[in-house]
Amino acid sequence: MLTEAIYKCFSDRQRLRMLNVLADGPLCVCHVMDILKCPQVQASKQLGYMKRLQVVQSRQQAQWRVYRVAPIAESLIRVNLEHLRSDSPVACELQQDLCKRKAIVERIAQTGDPCPRFVLQPANEAEIDESLSQF
């Protein structure tokens, strides 16, 4: 059932792009909106759909809702994204989204943005485990 749910997400370009940026780590809805240039309602609707399918998980922290790929779905998503990022009609768009994601994470780190700290790339495995256990 999970495989079917993942491919339902991959079959929609916007959900595919969301999974692409979430596969590299958690993001706030506002950052997903910024990367995809979509309205909040649309981003939240798609992320909610993927959450109901158990492909992503979310966590509320203060005013932020942070999403990440569900651990149970990670390996299948990564294998598929590896191909899609390198050899598909959407490869260029997916790579551009990853560049935007990287810029946002760097901006958060440099400016002290109040965004939850686990959006930043964790420094080591212990920090990764601590960040993920909070979901």
Side-chain angles (χ1 to χ4, degrees):
M1 192 64 147
L2 180 63
T3 301
E4 182 181 323
I6 290 169
Y7 285 112
K8 282 182 181 180
C9 295
F10 278 158
S11 69
D12 178 88
R13 188 180 206 106
Q14 190 171 52
R15 290 192 296 260
L16 167 63
R17 292 177 65 203
M18 288 178 178
L19 286 177
N20 178 52
V21 296
L22 291 175
D24 279 11
L27 285 174
C28 295
V29 174
C30 62
H31 299 128
V32 172
M33 292 167 35
D34 191 24
I35 294 167
L36 274 62
K37 303 292 184 224
C38 66
Q40 185 272 328
V41 171
Q42 194 174 48
S44 293
K45 180 180 175 183
Q46 296 291 9
L47 289 163
Y49 176 77
M50 291 191 291
K51 185 177 178 184
R52 286 189 301 280
L53 291 175
Q54 300 179 336
V55 175
V56 299
Q57 296 175 332
S58 71
R59 178 163 185 237
Q60 183 79 32
Q61 185 169 342
Q63 70 266 30
W64 296 282
R65 168 119 2 231
V66 178
Y67 284 86
R68 74 172 182 132
V69 171
I72 195 168
E74 278 185 77
S75 61
L76 184 56
I77 288 172
R78 286 193 188 282
V79 166
N80 281 276
L81 282 174
E82 185 177 317
H83 169 72
L84 292 169
R85 286 173 176 171
S86 63
D87 188 30
S88 75
V90 295
C92 184
E93 185 174 34
L94 296 179
Q95 291 300 330
Q96 288 172 350
D97 289 345
L98 291 176
C99 288
K100 291 175 189 176
R101 183 194 194 289
K102 183 179 177 185
I104 286 171
V105 171
E106 287 174 359
R107 184 187 76 220
I108 292 168
Q110 291 173 356
T111 64
D113 187 309
C115 184
R117 298 299 299 167
F118 48 83
V119 168
L120 298 175
Q121 295 294 331
N124 58 50
E125 287 299 318
E127 197 173 332
I128 291 170
D129 292 341
E130 181 182 328
S131 295
L132 296 180
S133 70
Q134 296 176 13
F135 271 84

PDB file of all heavy atoms in Angstrom, residues 16-44:
ATOM      1  N   LEU A  16       5.576  15.752  -6.432  1.00  0.00           N
ATOM      2  CA  LEU A  16       6.911  15.248  -6.751  1.00  0.00           C
ATOM      3  C   LEU A  16       7.971  16.262  -6.329  1.00  0.00           C
ATOM      4  O   LEU A  16       8.967  15.920  -5.680  1.00  0.00           O
ATOM      5  CB  LEU A  16       7.026  14.952  -8.254  1.00  0.00           C
ATOM      6  CG  LEU A  16       8.434  14.721  -8.801  1.00  0.00           C
ATOM      7  CD1 LEU A  16       9.069  13.490  -8.169  1.00  0.00           C
ATOM      8  CD2 LEU A  16       8.397  14.599 -10.315  1.00  0.00           C
ATOM      9  N   ARG A  17       7.750  17.511  -6.676  1.00  0.00           N
ATOM     10  CA  ARG A  17       8.699  18.561  -6.322  1.00  0.00           C
ATOM     11  C   ARG A  17       8.805  18.729  -4.803  1.00  0.00           C
ATOM     12  O   ARG A  17       9.890  18.952  -4.268  1.00  0.00           O
ATOM     13  CB  ARG A  17       8.305  19.875  -6.988  1.00  0.00           C
ATOM     14  CG  ARG A  17       8.470  19.849  -8.503  1.00  0.00           C
ATOM     15  CD  ARG A  17       7.998  21.135  -9.163  1.00  0.00           C
ATOM     16  NE  ARG A  17       8.846  22.248  -8.741  1.00  0.00           N
ATOM     17  CZ  ARG A  17       8.448  23.518  -8.770  1.00  0.00           C
ATOM     18  NH1 ARG A  17       7.237  23.850  -9.191  1.00  0.00           N
ATOM     19  NH2 ARG A  17       9.270  24.476  -8.381  1.00  0.00           N
ATOM     20  N   MET A  18       7.680  18.591  -4.107  1.00  0.00           N
ATOM     21  CA  MET A  18       7.706  18.679  -2.647  1.00  0.00           C
ATOM     22  C   MET A  18       8.517  17.534  -2.053  1.00  0.00           C
ATOM     23  O   MET A  18       9.351  17.746  -1.163  1.00  0.00           O
ATOM     24  CB  MET A  18       6.286  18.679  -2.090  1.00  0.00           C
ATOM     25  CG  MET A  18       5.536  19.954  -2.340  1.00  0.00           C
ATOM     26  SD  MET A  18       3.852  19.838  -1.704  1.00  0.00           S
ATOM     27  CE  MET A  18       3.256  21.480  -2.075  1.00  0.00           C
ATOM     28  N   LEU A  19       8.285  16.328  -2.536  1.00  0.00           N
ATOM     29  CA  LEU A  19       9.058  15.189  -2.037  1.00  0.00           C
ATOM     30  C   LEU A  19      10.536  15.358  -2.351  1.00  0.00           C
ATOM     31  O   LEU A  19      11.396  14.976  -1.555  1.00  0.00           O
ATOM     32  CB  LEU A  19       8.534  13.881  -2.630  1.00  0.00           C
ATOM     33  CG  LEU A  19       7.207  13.391  -2.071  1.00  0.00           C
ATOM     34  CD1 LEU A  19       6.751  12.125  -2.800  1.00  0.00           C
ATOM     35  CD2 LEU A  19       7.302  13.137  -0.574  1.00  0.00           C
ATOM     36  N   ASN A  20      10.836  15.929  -3.482  1.00  0.00           N
ATOM     37  CA  ASN A  20      12.219  16.163  -3.876  1.00  0.00           C
ATOM     38  C   ASN A  20      12.943  17.032  -2.844  1.00  0.00           C
ATOM     39  O   ASN A  20      14.045  16.695  -2.413  1.00  0.00           O
ATOM     40  CB  ASN A  20      12.246  16.833  -5.252  1.00  0.00           C
ATOM     41  CG  ASN A  20      13.633  17.164  -5.732  1.00  0.00           C
ATOM     42  OD1 ASN A  20      14.518  16.324  -5.756  1.00  0.00           O
ATOM     43  ND2 ASN A  20      13.833  18.414  -6.120  1.00  0.00           N
ATOM     44  N   VAL A  21      12.339  18.126  -2.423  1.00  0.00           N
ATOM     45  CA  VAL A  21      13.012  19.006  -1.466  1.00  0.00           C
ATOM     46  C   VAL A  21      12.954  18.458  -0.042  1.00  0.00           C
ATOM     47  O   VAL A  21      13.875  18.667   0.749  1.00  0.00           O
ATOM     48  CB  VAL A  21      12.493  20.468  -1.532  1.00  0.00           C
ATOM     49  CG1 VAL A  21      12.814  21.079  -2.884  1.00  0.00           C
ATOM     50  CG2 VAL A  21      11.035  20.583  -1.211  1.00  0.00           C
ATOM     51  N   LEU A  22      11.899  17.723   0.287  1.00  0.00           N
ATOM     52  CA  LEU A  22      11.791  17.142   1.628  1.00  0.00           C
ATOM     53  C   LEU A  22      12.722  15.943   1.803  1.00  0.00           C
ATOM     54  O   LEU A  22      13.104  15.610   2.924  1.00  0.00           O
ATOM     55  CB  LEU A  22      10.346  16.739   1.925  1.00  0.00           C
ATOM     56  CG  LEU A  22       9.356  17.883   2.091  1.00  0.00           C
ATOM     57  CD1 LEU A  22       7.942  17.349   2.246  1.00  0.00           C
ATOM     58  CD2 LEU A  22       9.737  18.779   3.260  1.00  0.00           C
ATOM     59  N   ALA A  23      13.082  15.300   0.715  1.00  0.00           N
ATOM     60  CA  ALA A  23      13.985  14.151   0.796  1.00  0.00           C
ATOM     61  C   ALA A  23      15.362  14.562   1.314  1.00  0.00           C
ATOM     62  O   ALA A  23      16.092  13.732   1.855  1.00  0.00           O
ATOM     63  CB  ALA A  23      14.110  13.472  -0.566  1.00  0.00           C
ATOM     64  N   ASP A  24      15.712  15.820   1.168  1.00  0.00           N
ATOM     65  CA  ASP A  24      17.005  16.314   1.659  1.00  0.00           C
ATOM     66  C   ASP A  24      16.918  16.827   3.088  1.00  0.00           C
ATOM     67  O   ASP A  24      17.904  17.325   3.619  1.00  0.00           O
ATOM     68  CB  ASP A  24      17.542  17.400   0.732  1.00  0.00           C
ATOM     69  CG  ASP A  24      18.228  16.816  -0.492  1.00  0.00           C
ATOM     70  OD1 ASP A  24      18.108  15.590  -0.715  1.00  0.00           O
ATOM     71  OD2 ASP A  24      18.884  17.571  -1.210  1.00  0.00           O
ATOM     72  N   GLY A  25      15.751  16.766   3.705  1.00  0.00           N
ATOM     73  CA  GLY A  25      15.595  17.167   5.096  1.00  0.00           C
ATOM     74  C   GLY A  25      14.300  17.925   5.321  1.00  0.00           C
ATOM     75  O   GLY A  25      13.621  18.312   4.374  1.00  0.00           O
ATOM     76  N   PRO A  26      13.941  18.122   6.586  1.00  0.00           N
ATOM     77  CA  PRO A  26      12.682  18.786   6.918  1.00  0.00           C
ATOM     78  C   PRO A  26      12.645  20.245   6.474  1.00  0.00           C
ATOM     79  O   PRO A  26      13.689  20.900   6.402  1.00  0.00           O
ATOM     80  CB  PRO A  26      12.612  18.699   8.445  1.00  0.00           C
ATOM     81  CG  PRO A  26      13.827  18.009   8.908  1.00  0.00           C
ATOM     82  CD  PRO A  26      14.708  17.726   7.751  1.00  0.00           C
ATOM     83  N   LEU A  27      11.442  20.716   6.176  1.00  0.00           N
ATOM     84  CA  LEU A  27      11.226  22.115   5.804  1.00  0.00           C
ATOM     85  C   LEU A  27       9.895  22.601   6.365  1.00  0.00           C
ATOM     86  O   LEU A  27       8.935  21.838   6.461  1.00  0.00           O
ATOM     87  CB  LEU A  27      11.178  22.285   4.287  1.00  0.00           C
ATOM     88  CG  LEU A  27      12.473  22.216   3.505  1.00  0.00           C
ATOM     89  CD1 LEU A  27      12.183  22.257   2.005  1.00  0.00           C
ATOM     90  CD2 LEU A  27      13.406  23.349   3.896  1.00  0.00           C
ATOM     91  N   CYS A  28       9.848  23.898   6.656  1.00  0.00           N
ATOM     92  CA  CYS A  28       8.587  24.539   7.027  1.00  0.00           C
ATOM     93  C   CYS A  28       7.730  24.710   5.774  1.00  0.00           C
ATOM     94  O   CYS A  28       8.262  24.809   4.661  1.00  0.00           O
ATOM     95  CB  CYS A  28       8.840  25.925   7.607  1.00  0.00           C
ATOM     96  SG  CYS A  28       9.731  25.926   9.153  1.00  0.00           S
ATOM     97  N   VAL A  29       6.446  24.776   5.952  1.00  0.00           N
ATOM     98  CA  VAL A  29       5.534  25.009   4.828  1.00  0.00           C
ATOM     99  C   VAL A  29       5.920  26.289   4.094  1.00  0.00           C
ATOM    100  O   VAL A  29       5.931  26.329   2.866  1.00  0.00           O
ATOM    101  CB  VAL A  29       4.068  25.095   5.303  1.00  0.00           C
ATOM    102  CG1 VAL A  29       3.148  25.481   4.161  1.00  0.00           C
ATOM    103  CG2 VAL A  29       3.616  23.788   5.909  1.00  0.00           C
ATOM    104  N   CYS A  30       6.294  27.323   4.831  1.00  0.00           N
ATOM    105  CA  CYS A  30       6.637  28.597   4.183  1.00  0.00           C
ATOM    106  C   CYS A  30       7.819  28.442   3.238  1.00  0.00           C
ATOM    107  O   CYS A  30       7.868  29.087   2.191  1.00  0.00           O
ATOM    108  CB  CYS A  30       6.899  29.684   5.214  1.00  0.00           C
ATOM    109  SG  CYS A  30       8.288  29.371   6.323  1.00  0.00           S
ATOM    110  N   HIS A  31       8.750  27.579   3.568  1.00  0.00           N
ATOM    111  CA  HIS A  31       9.898  27.366   2.699  1.00  0.00           C
ATOM    112  C   HIS A  31       9.531  26.534   1.473  1.00  0.00           C
ATOM    113  O   HIS A  31      10.029  26.785   0.378  1.00  0.00           O
ATOM    114  CB  HIS A  31      11.049  26.731   3.478  1.00  0.00           C
ATOM    115  CG  HIS A  31      11.517  27.603   4.603  1.00  0.00           C
ATOM    116  ND1 HIS A  31      11.638  27.154   5.886  1.00  0.00           N
ATOM    117  CD2 HIS A  31      11.833  28.914   4.628  1.00  0.00           C
ATOM    118  CE1 HIS A  31      12.042  28.154   6.659  1.00  0.00           C
ATOM    119  NE2 HIS A  31      12.149  29.235   5.912  1.00  0.00           N
ATOM    120  N   VAL A  32       8.656  25.571   1.660  1.00  0.00           N
ATOM    121  CA  VAL A  32       8.161  24.789   0.513  1.00  0.00           C
ATOM    122  C   VAL A  32       7.447  25.731  -0.455  1.00  0.00           C
ATOM    123  O   VAL A  32       7.663  25.677  -1.663  1.00  0.00           O
ATOM    124  CB  VAL A  32       7.223  23.645   0.973  1.00  0.00           C
ATOM    125  CG1 VAL A  32       6.565  22.963  -0.218  1.00  0.00           C
ATOM    126  CG2 VAL A  32       7.988  22.633   1.828  1.00  0.00           C
ATOM    127  N   MET A  33       6.627  26.635   0.092  1.00  0.00           N
ATOM    128  CA  MET A  33       5.921  27.612  -0.740  1.00  0.00           C
ATOM    129  C   MET A  33       6.903  28.488  -1.505  1.00  0.00           C
ATOM    130  O   MET A  33       6.706  28.757  -2.693  1.00  0.00           O
ATOM    131  CB  MET A  33       5.038  28.522   0.141  1.00  0.00           C
ATOM    132  CG  MET A  33       3.881  27.840   0.792  1.00  0.00           C
ATOM    133  SD  MET A  33       3.108  28.835   2.104  1.00  0.00           S
ATOM    134  CE  MET A  33       3.244  30.504   1.515  1.00  0.00           C
ATOM    135  N   ASP A  34       7.944  28.921  -0.830  1.00  0.00           N
ATOM    136  CA  ASP A  34       8.950  29.788  -1.437  1.00  0.00           C
ATOM    137  C   ASP A  34       9.669  29.072  -2.586  1.00  0.00           C
ATOM    138  O   ASP A  34       9.870  29.642  -3.656  1.00  0.00           O
ATOM    139  CB  ASP A  34       9.948  30.232  -0.367  1.00  0.00           C
ATOM    140  CG  ASP A  34      10.870  31.337  -0.827  1.00  0.00           C
ATOM    141  OD1 ASP A  34      10.500  32.090  -1.756  1.00  0.00           O
ATOM    142  OD2 ASP A  34      11.962  31.465  -0.253  1.00  0.00           O
ATOM    143  N   ILE A  35      10.031  27.830  -2.378  1.00  0.00           N
ATOM    144  CA  ILE A  35      10.737  27.065  -3.408  1.00  0.00           C
ATOM    145  C   ILE A  35       9.847  26.803  -4.609  1.00  0.00           C
ATOM    146  O   ILE A  35      10.255  26.992  -5.753  1.00  0.00           O
ATOM    147  CB  ILE A  35      11.259  25.733  -2.830  1.00  0.00           C
ATOM    148  CG1 ILE A  35      12.347  25.996  -1.780  1.00  0.00           C
ATOM    149  CG2 ILE A  35      11.786  24.819  -3.944  1.00  0.00           C
ATOM    150  CD1 ILE A  35      12.705  24.796  -0.933  1.00  0.00           C
ATOM    151  N   LEU A  36       8.620  26.386  -4.366  1.00  0.00           N
ATOM    152  CA  LEU A  36       7.716  26.015  -5.463  1.00  0.00           C
ATOM    153  C   LEU A  36       6.922  27.189  -6.026  1.00  0.00           C
ATOM    154  O   LEU A  36       6.223  27.044  -7.021  1.00  0.00           O
ATOM    155  CB  LEU A  36       6.741  24.929  -4.999  1.00  0.00           C
ATOM    156  CG  LEU A  36       7.246  23.495  -5.102  1.00  0.00           C
ATOM    157  CD1 LEU A  36       8.463  23.225  -4.264  1.00  0.00           C
ATOM    158  CD2 LEU A  36       6.143  22.524  -4.786  1.00  0.00           C
ATOM    159  N   LYS A  37       7.004  28.342  -5.362  1.00  0.00           N
ATOM    160  CA  LYS A  37       6.245  29.527  -5.787  1.00  0.00           C
ATOM    161  C   LYS A  37       4.747  29.206  -5.882  1.00  0.00           C
ATOM    162  O   LYS A  37       4.099  29.424  -6.901  1.00  0.00           O
ATOM    163  CB  LYS A  37       6.750  30.077  -7.128  1.00  0.00           C
ATOM    164  CG  LYS A  37       8.210  30.435  -7.131  1.00  0.00           C
ATOM    165  CD  LYS A  37       8.475  31.625  -6.237  1.00  0.00           C
ATOM    166  CE  LYS A  37       9.928  32.045  -6.318  1.00  0.00           C
ATOM    167  NZ  LYS A  37      10.508  32.335  -5.021  1.00  0.00           N
ATOM    168  N   CYS A  38       4.217  28.667  -4.790  1.00  0.00           N
ATOM    169  CA  CYS A  38       2.790  28.328  -4.764  1.00  0.00           C
ATOM    170  C   CYS A  38       2.152  28.940  -3.523  1.00  0.00           C
ATOM    171  O   CYS A  38       2.834  29.213  -2.536  1.00  0.00           O
ATOM    172  CB  CYS A  38       2.586  26.818  -4.790  1.00  0.00           C
ATOM    173  SG  CYS A  38       3.162  25.939  -3.330  1.00  0.00           S
ATOM    174  N   PRO A  39       0.840  29.171  -3.552  1.00  0.00           N
ATOM    175  CA  PRO A  39       0.147  29.751  -2.397  1.00  0.00           C
ATOM    176  C   PRO A  39       0.105  28.770  -1.216  1.00  0.00           C
ATOM    177  O   PRO A  39       0.175  27.555  -1.402  1.00  0.00           O
ATOM    178  CB  PRO A  39      -1.262  30.036  -2.911  1.00  0.00           C
ATOM    179  CG  PRO A  39      -1.341  29.543  -4.299  1.00  0.00           C
ATOM    180  CD  PRO A  39      -0.030  28.984  -4.700  1.00  0.00           C
ATOM    181  N   GLN A  40      -0.045  29.318  -0.024  1.00  0.00           N
ATOM    182  CA  GLN A  40      -0.067  28.517   1.201  1.00  0.00           C
ATOM    183  C   GLN A  40      -1.165  27.467   1.166  1.00  0.00           C
ATOM    184  O   GLN A  40      -0.945  26.328   1.557  1.00  0.00           O
ATOM    185  CB  GLN A  40      -0.227  29.443   2.414  1.00  0.00           C
ATOM    186  CG  GLN A  40      -0.141  28.739   3.758  1.00  0.00           C
ATOM    187  CD  GLN A  40      -1.469  28.213   4.252  1.00  0.00           C
ATOM    188  OE1 GLN A  40      -2.518  28.795   3.982  1.00  0.00           O
ATOM    189  NE2 GLN A  40      -1.445  27.111   4.966  1.00  0.00           N
ATOM    190  N   VAL A  41      -2.340  27.825   0.710  1.00  0.00           N
ATOM    191  CA  VAL A  41      -3.462  26.882   0.665  1.00  0.00           C
ATOM    192  C   VAL A  41      -3.112  25.669  -0.199  1.00  0.00           C
ATOM    193  O   VAL A  41      -3.357  24.524   0.189  1.00  0.00           O
ATOM    194  CB  VAL A  41      -4.752  27.573   0.144  1.00  0.00           C
ATOM    195  CG1 VAL A  41      -5.857  26.578  -0.109  1.00  0.00           C
ATOM    196  CG2 VAL A  41      -5.201  28.651   1.109  1.00  0.00           C
ATOM    197  N   GLN A  42      -2.520  25.918  -1.335  1.00  0.00           N
ATOM    198  CA  GLN A  42      -2.152  24.838  -2.246  1.00  0.00           C
ATOM    199  C   GLN A  42      -1.061  23.949  -1.638  1.00  0.00           C
ATOM    200  O   GLN A  42      -1.157  22.711  -1.690  1.00  0.00           O
ATOM    201  CB  GLN A  42      -1.682  25.441  -3.563  1.00  0.00           C
ATOM    202  CG  GLN A  42      -1.586  24.471  -4.703  1.00  0.00           C
ATOM    203  CD  GLN A  42      -1.247  25.202  -5.989  1.00  0.00           C
ATOM    204  OE1 GLN A  42      -0.322  26.013  -6.010  1.00  0.00           O
ATOM    205  NE2 GLN A  42      -1.993  24.923  -7.040  1.00  0.00           N
ATOM    206  N   ALA A  43      -0.047  24.553  -1.049  1.00  0.00           N
ATOM    207  CA  ALA A  43       1.030  23.776  -0.432  1.00  0.00           C
ATOM    208  C   ALA A  43       0.491  22.930   0.719  1.00  0.00           C
ATOM    209  O   ALA A  43       0.782  21.737   0.811  1.00  0.00           O
ATOM    210  CB  ALA A  43       2.134  24.705   0.063  1.00  0.00           C
ATOM    211  N   SER A  44      -0.309  23.541   1.579  1.00  0.00           N
ATOM    212  CA  SER A  44      -0.857  22.813   2.724  1.00  0.00           C
ATOM    213  C   SER A  44      -1.773  21.679   2.284  1.00  0.00           C
ATOM    214  O   SER A  44      -1.775  20.597   2.893  1.00  0.00           O
ATOM    215  CB  SER A  44      -1.609  23.765   3.648  1.00  0.00           C
ATOM    216  OG  SER A  44      -0.701  24.661   4.244  1.00  0.00           O
TER     217      SER A  44
END
